[in-house]
């Protein structure tokens, strides 16, 4: 199938050829991805060949290192830290930095009307 390119002019396409997809498994933070199953795509395979293969013991990809490189680990941990910092469950975890926010006092109807008039005069 052809997929549109994102970015640039956005008018180009490229062809993506796949003959199989993999079901992957990863154990622990330091684990590499292992193949659990391989599903062949395209026309029906020749007689005697399966349309899929399930590995009883998950297998690594050929030539894949058994442990991740240090720079990959460092980059992954930095991304994990950013994700944790940005996704704090909707709570305000200030961890004692700065001064606490005072409760918000709603504006009176007169103050709201005055602010609206000021904004309107700026637009004109």
């Amino acid at each position: 199938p052809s997929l549109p390119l994102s970015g640039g002019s956005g008018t180009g396409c490229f062809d993506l050829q796949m003959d199989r997809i993999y079901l992957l498994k990863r154990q622990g933070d330091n684990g590499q991805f292992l193949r659990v199953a391989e599903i062949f795509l395209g026309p029906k395979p020749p007689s005697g060949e399966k349309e899929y293969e399930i590995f009883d013991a998950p297998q690594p990809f050929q030539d894949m290192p058994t442990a991740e490189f240090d720079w990959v680990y460092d980059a992954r941990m930095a991304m994990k830290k950013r994700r944790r910092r940005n996704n704090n469950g909707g709570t305000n975890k200030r961890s004692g930095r700065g001064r606490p926010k005072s409760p918000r006092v709603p504006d009176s109807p007169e103050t709201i009307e005055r602010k609206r008039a000021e904004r309107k005069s700026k637009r004109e």
Side-chain angles (χ1 to χ4, degrees):
S2 293
L3 300 173
L5 293 174
S6 59
S9 65
T11 59
C13 290
F14 69 95
D15 288 330
L16 177 64
Q17 301 292 323
M18 293 188 302
D19 63 343
R20 69 194 75 194
I21 57 174
Y22 299 99
L23 176 63
L24 302 176
K25 178 180 182 179
R26 183 169 187 225
Q27 292 178 326
D29 265 353
N30 292 330
Q32 290 293 68
F33 288 101
L34 301 172
R35 294 179 296 162
V36 175
E38 189 172 34
I39 303 167
F40 298 97
L41 304 174
K44 191 170 183 164
S47 62
E49 290 189 30
K50 300 183 214 173
E51 293 179 2
Y52 62 91
E53 185 175 355
I54 297 176
F55 303 106
D56 290 332
Q59 297 181 2
F61 288 96
Q62 184 179 358
D63 298 329
M64 179 174 265
T66 56
E68 66 186 351
F69 296 114
D70 290 340
W71 69 268
V72 174
Y73 176 82
D74 294 341
R76 193 168 51 78
M77 288 299 115
M79 183 173 49
K80 198 173 184 180
K81 187 176 181 181
R82 280 193 309 272
R83 229 183 356 244
R84 253 190 315 234
R85 186 175 46 230
N86 292 337
N87 184 15
N88 60 15
T91 60
N92 186 9
K93 297 179 183 175
R94 294 184 60 99
S95 67
R97 291 179 288 142
R99 58 185 179 92
K101 288 185 175 181
S102 58
R104 186 172 183 269
V105 179
D107 291 335
S108 67
E110 295 82 18
T111 306
I112 293 171
E113 211 40 58
R114 179 181 49 79
K115 288 180 179 180
R116 286 180 180 161
E118 288 172 2
R119 287 187 203 120
K120 185 177 181 181
S121 68
K122 286 181 182 178
R123 284 192 302 262
E124 294 173 350

